[in-house]
Amino acid sequence: MTKLTLEEKQELIRMALKARESAYVPYSDFMVGAALRAEDGRVFTGCNVENAAFTPTSCAERTALFKAVSEGVTKFTDIAVVGSRRGEINQQITSPCGVCRQALFEFGGPELNVIMAKTPDDFMERSMDELLPFGFGPSNVAGNQAVEDEKED
Ligand code: THU
């Protein structure tokens, strides 16, 4: 697996920043954007989408993930995440919540590179293995032939 160049990482961050502009956040006013890069180089973006009933809220990372998977893309190498309150320039790192870590682990595995950015010039990176050590994934579901078949496709 080839690692992204600095320029490619910065482009991914710019795409996450652009996606953040669509955040639907009337309840928290906290706008998040994500850009998920597939193994084949395609990028799927997402924003957080809140809901009056709160529970149905989707984080930006899962919005991007589900867009990709619903388009038949299931293997990923990198994700860029940006988040900050409306009207603020990114002053803080936003790291994926626990639910998103689990959702991403399903498809990105422990190797997924997570880029947490303030700006294209100010970011940190961690592997999913660092964010979700001993993650529970498809291979842990013993005897699940469907999972094995999926891998062979
Ligand atoms: N949020 C994300 O979209 N991604 C994260 O990783 C952290 C939290 C959203 C959920 C909610 O809409 C808002 O940020 C405040 O929690």
Side-chain angles (χ1 to χ4, degrees):
M1 188 194 307
T2 55
K3 291 196 75 176
L4 296 189
T5 63
L6 175 61
E7 287 69 28
E8 286 170 329
K9 287 175 190 174
Q10 290 178 322
E11 179 58 18
L12 205 60
I13 293 166
R14 272 191 283 275
M15 292 175 85
L17 284 166
K18 177 83 187 134
R20 176 182 168 276
E21 292 171 16
S22 299
Y24 175 76
V25 290
Y27 307 104
S28 75
D29 242 14
F30 190 79
M31 302 171 74
V32 185
L36 180 62
R37 197 174 201 274
E39 251 178 31
D40 65 6
R42 272 193 285 172
V43 176
F44 295 82
T45 62
C47 62
N48 50 340
V49 183
E50 297 187 343
N51 188 279
F54 287 21
T55 311
T57 293
S58 177
C59 290
E61 298 91 321
R62 275 176 292 142
T63 303
L65 179 67
F66 296 154
K67 278 171 68 178
V69 175
S70 66
E71 301 279 329
V73 181
T74 57
K75 293 187 170 72
F76 309 100
T77 58
D78 301 82
I79 184 168
V81 184
V82 296
S84 59
R85 289 184 60 77
R86 184 189 303 281
E88 286 179 4
I89 309 182
N90 274 354
Q91 292 162 348
Q92 64 182 75
I93 293 293
T94 294
S95 75
C97 80
V99 173
C100 287
R101 291 177 197 204
Q102 181 65 34
L104 290 165
F105 189 86
E106 180 78 18
F107 298 98
E111 313 271 276
L112 183 74
N113 186 40
V114 182
I115 302 168
M116 295 160 280
K118 294 181 185 174
T119 70
D121 295 314
D122 189 356
F123 62 89
M124 62 185 279
E125 299 170 90
R126 290 289 185 276
S127 69
M128 184 52 76
D129 194 40
E130 291 174 288
L131 298 182
L132 189 68
F134 302 102
F136 184 85
S139 62
N140 296 109
V141 184
N144 189 341
Q145 194 55 46
V147 170
E148 295 308 314
D149 292 346
E150 187 85 2
K151 275 191 219 151
E152 280 154 26
D153 283 350

